[in-house]
DNA sequence: GATTGCATATTGTCCTAGACAAAATGTTGA
DNA sequence: TCAACATTTTGTCTAGGACAATATGCAATC
């Protein structure tokens, strides 16, 4: 992050940095009076770092379901208070997390990977996912909100974590039994880390996972579910996706999948699904994967036995 | 890819699909009369698949350095001819490539990875990179141009290839000696595959590579080069990046790096660097990594001896 | 009380047409 | 052959309006 209290960014940079489209930034300025960037000699917007920081907080709160109409009337202090209030349980900040963030900022990807692999070996897959990976992603999200982390540094961490998790999954895969779970995300979802964590948890519990990766078109999900004779289709839904779009997609998917195939949704975005329609099961967290599997097996043994 | 001869896409979808910003699409229509999309009831643009296909070809040719002013006057046939002419050596289409594309389209990532790893074991790292990975990326680029591959499918292949290459590099790393090479990309470069191929080649030749991953800010490259006591800084530059931006960045980097540190540039974008300024060495292809290393070692032994 | 239906408010994205600075190209002179 | 300058090309930005999709508030019903 460039320092200097009066560091100014053009609108395209703000779009990259915050993920808010240029059109949206302009219309917010017109409607709500915020952000209110400076202008250069030819009238182009130049956003002070402070406003960009506030926009990051706004983005974060919107991902939790709050709406811009309210947020953009608040000043920086009120916004900050709201963010901290809603943050829920203070994330346990460990020495490992600090080390990871440091390695990330100094681009020592290989070192970071080695460190994480070591933790994985020491704690085992389950504890690694629940106590290290999941909190780390939260920490990194917070660090991004505070402007301490570049977007590409977040990408780098994601890459490293994915590599470590894949390696872990590959070493588990041998003893796989039912149910067969088809894991993927919806077409506009680009976050694959949650998916991978879920895959690790499920594989650990002895399920047989087949991952299609991210951004699979609905028709392909359906086709693969049938071709692979999946018992369960599991979707990972991040906080980014618009609730409406997701709801529609999930409903459509449920309609097109064979009735016998269960549909599980996890991730921050899954919590925002209205009342989960029948035939759609929302998992509140990674720790519920195990319970969901137990339930499925109980029902299935009963049905078959 | 949705079929149907009259499949229509809104402008946002075209942006996603082609990588051409909405603003650019609109100004091209105003200036050159192409593309000329249909309109829906409320006047919003709807692009027929044929025009999107042509836009993909235009994008491809622009990455080779051609300018839109010329390209957009041509009709589909002329454009196609130009594309095939410039394509140079026909890429050797092997059975493996067809298999890889098939596995990609059916989302069988794990299977694909297994297949590629097998080829890697059979052929060795050098032949794997030169004969399999590099041609495969070309094939995939072509397939994208023809609209046969979704963007996310390209991402998926990239991920798989990166995983396989990383694994290969990790197993080579033991016997590393001079020169120490710091490998990375410029800040706006998001393609990391070329970097990884280069790293594999260099590691294979006994060099000691330290990778910073993609999108490293200039200051961080300089800082890392000094901290790591690098002999060489190697940049991977894809066809996407604007030649001017790249030129400026490279010049700046050269100025800030210690004089004793060599600066190597590779990738399709490196070829477009004007006359390479003194102190900047452009590598024309992956097969030149080995020669560049030999040269460096010869000079360095001579200087020291 | 919980759910459904409908009116209202909010919100993101798209539109037009103009402007301008940065980059590429062409031209001139050493 | 190279540098300096003029011209054209090109991408990105601006303003203010519009509209459809979504969320919210409220009434009516099971």
């Amino acid at each position: 992050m460039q320092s200097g209290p009066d560091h100014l960014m053009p609108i395209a940079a703000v779009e990259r940095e915050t993920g808010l489209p240029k059109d949206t930034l302009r219309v917010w300025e017109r409607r709500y009076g915020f952000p209110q960037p400076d202008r250069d000699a030819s009238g182009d917007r130049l956003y002070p770092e402070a406003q960009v920081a506030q926009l990051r907080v706004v983005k974060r709160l919107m991902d939790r379901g709050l709406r811009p109409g309210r947020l953009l009337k608040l000043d920086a202090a009120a916004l900050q208070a709201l963010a901290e209030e809603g943050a829920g349980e203070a994330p346990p900040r460990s020495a490992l997390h600090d080390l990871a963030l440091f390695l990330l900022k100094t681009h020592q990807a290989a070192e970071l990977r080695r460190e994480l692999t070591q933790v994985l070996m020491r704690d085992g897959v389950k504890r690694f996912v629940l106590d290290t990976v999941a909190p780390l992603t939260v920490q990194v999200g917070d660090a991004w909100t505070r402007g301490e982390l570049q977007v590409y540094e977040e990408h780098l961490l994601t890459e490293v974590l994915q590599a470590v998790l894949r390696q872990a999954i590959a070493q588990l895969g041998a003893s796989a039994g039912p149910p067969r779970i088809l894991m993927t995300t919806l077409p506009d979802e680009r976050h694959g880390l949650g998916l991978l964590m879920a895959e690790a948890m499920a594989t650990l519990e002895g399920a047989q996972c087949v991952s299609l990766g991210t951004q699979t078109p609905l028709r392909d999900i359906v086709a693969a579910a049938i071709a692979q004779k999946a018992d369960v289709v599991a979707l990972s839904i991040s906080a980014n996706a618009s609730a409406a779009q997701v709801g529609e997609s999930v409903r459509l998917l449920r309609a097109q999948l064979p009735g016998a195939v269960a549909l599980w949704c996890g991730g921050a975005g899954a919590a925002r699904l209205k009342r989960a329609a029948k035939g759609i099961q929302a998992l509140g967290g990674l720790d519920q994967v195990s319970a969901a599997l137990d339930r499925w097996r109980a029902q299935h043994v009963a049905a078959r036995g």
Side-chain angles (χ1 to χ4, degrees), chain A residues 134-219:
Chain A
L136 193 51
T137 58
V138 175
Q139 290 278 349
V140 164
D142 289 348
W144 174 83
T145 306
R146 290 193 300 272
E148 292 172 10
L149 223 52
Q150 304 269 17
V151 180
Y152 70 89
E153 289 169 333
E154 215 174 327
H155 290 337
L156 189 56
L157 173 68
T158 302
E159 247 184 64
V160 170
L161 285 175
Q162 289 194 350
V164 175
L165 280 175
R166 283 223 184 80
Q167 194 183 343
I169 291 171
Q171 288 171 358
L172 284 172
S175 64
R180 280 179 74 84
I181 308 182
L182 189 76
M183 316 211 55
T184 189
T185 71
L186 294 176
D188 356 73
E189 174 68 60
R190 277 177 297 126
H191 292 67
L193 196 50
L195 187 70
L196 218 50
M197 289 194 280
E199 187 181 343
M201 297 300 284
T203 306
L204 195 65
E205 301 283 340
Q208 190 175 359
C209 294
V210 179
S211 178
L212 298 184
T214 54
Q215 293 188 281
T216 312
L218 292 191
R219 77 181 67 190

Side-chain angles (χ1 to χ4, degrees), chain A residues 62-104:
Chain A
M62 282 177 61
D63 284 344
R64 283 199 209 133
L66 299 182
R67 304 180 64 186
R70 294 178 178 181
L71 298 173
L72 293 174
K73 284 174 196 153
L74 305 174
D75 61 0
L79 210 55
Q80 198 57 44
L82 196 59
E84 279 161 17
E85 167 202 332
E89 342 73 50
R93 184 162 200 164
S94 77
L96 174 65
H97 294 153
D98 290 340
L99 174 60
L101 287 183
F102 169 76
L103 291 176
L104 210 54

Side-chain angles (χ1 to χ4, degrees), chain A residues 184-185 189 194-195 198 233-239 246 263-271 273 280-286 289:
Chain A
T184 189
T185 71
E189 174 68 60
L195 187 70
V233 168
L235 298 178
S236 169
I237 303 169
S238 76
V246 167
L263 182 53
W264 297 358
C265 301
L273 280 173
I280 300 172
Q281 190 173 346
L283 303 190
L286 286 166
V289 170

Side-chain angles (χ1 to χ4, degrees), chain A residues 207-265:
Chain A
Q208 190 175 359
C209 294
V210 179
S211 178
L212 298 184
T214 54
Q215 293 188 281
T216 312
L218 292 191
R219 77 181 67 190
D220 293 13
I221 300 179
V222 175
I226 295 171
Q228 307 262 357
K229 301 194 204 311
D231 301 305
V232 178
V233 168
L235 298 178
S236 169
I237 303 169
S238 76
N240 284 333
S242 84
Q245 189 108 354
V246 167
E248 180 57 23
S249 296
V250 170
R251 211 171 313 134
L252 219 71
L253 187 58
R254 177 66 278 182
Q256 291 177 28
L257 280 174
V261 176
L263 182 53
W264 297 358
C265 301

